[in-house]
Amino acid sequence: MGRVTTTIAVTNHIDEILAERGFIHPEQIRSLTLDNVLVDTGATQLCLPENIISQLGLSFAGEIDVKAAVGARTVRVFKDVTLTVAGRTARFDCWELPAGEEVFLGWFPLEGLGLEPDLANQQLRLLPNEGRQNYLRI
């Protein structure tokens, strides 16, 4: 089985709104580009380490209990991340991992962006977003 990694950009969406409305300068928008992010279809969400969440200044949304490879645990949820992958952008919440852990891109963001892992070629495949055969559903 192949391992798929990708490059993602994560941005504080609240900063984007503040810049759009003139409260901060656009260069004050907190954003990071992360390379070699693991595409993990065993994970459901975007999972970011605490140090990255802190750098982005994301807003705390609450805690939830989740199943992990190491057993059940409680994780903190942060909101309003603008996620860009392969030229597609959408907003998502993220789950916090301990500092230094690997970033995971789970299947909710993959589905929301119309991406699927191609394990044989170890890359992401863009699903069509136009025409009758697009990935969008109502």
Side-chain angles (χ1 to χ4, degrees):
M1 205 154 40
R3 176 181 166 94
V4 177
T5 61
T6 192
T7 298
I8 68 172
V10 286
T11 304
N12 182 319
H13 183 64
I14 301 299
D15 286 356
E16 292 176 313
I17 292 170
L18 291 173
E20 180 181 294
R21 295 186 178 171
F23 293 108
I24 64 173
H25 293 283
E27 59 271 4
Q28 293 177 289
I29 297 171
R30 291 168 283 188
S31 185
L32 295 169
T33 298
L34 306 171
D35 296 319
N36 299 311
V37 171
L38 180 63
V39 175
D40 185 354
T41 58
T44 57
Q45 303 293 333
L46 171 64
C47 300
L48 299 173
E50 178 276 328
N51 54 309
I52 291 174
I53 290 171
S54 180
Q55 287 177 46
L56 294 171
L58 299 177
S59 298
F60 178 71
E63 294 183 340
I64 57 170
D65 294 325
V66 299
K67 294 179 184 176
V70 295
R73 69 189 213 196
T74 301
V75 298
R76 297 184 338 148
V77 178
F78 290 82
K79 60 184 175 178
D80 294 325
V81 178
T82 299
L83 173 65
T84 302
V85 184
R88 294 187 178 171
T89 301
R91 275 190 329 276
F92 297 95
D93 291 344
C94 71
W95 293 353
E96 181 184 57
L97 299 171
E101 281 199 25
E102 187 172 30
V103 175
F104 298 128
L105 182 59
W107 58 269
F108 280 153
L110 290 172
E111 186 174 276
L113 293 169
L115 304 168
E116 69 179 25
D118 177 350
L119 297 176
N121 295 306
Q122 297 182 344
Q123 63 186 12
L124 281 178
R125 180 177 27 244
L126 283 115
L127 300 173
N129 61 355
E130 295 178 347
R132 292 184 177 230
Q133 299 302 316
N134 70 52
Y135 73 91
L136 302 167
R137 302 290 179 258
I138 192 167

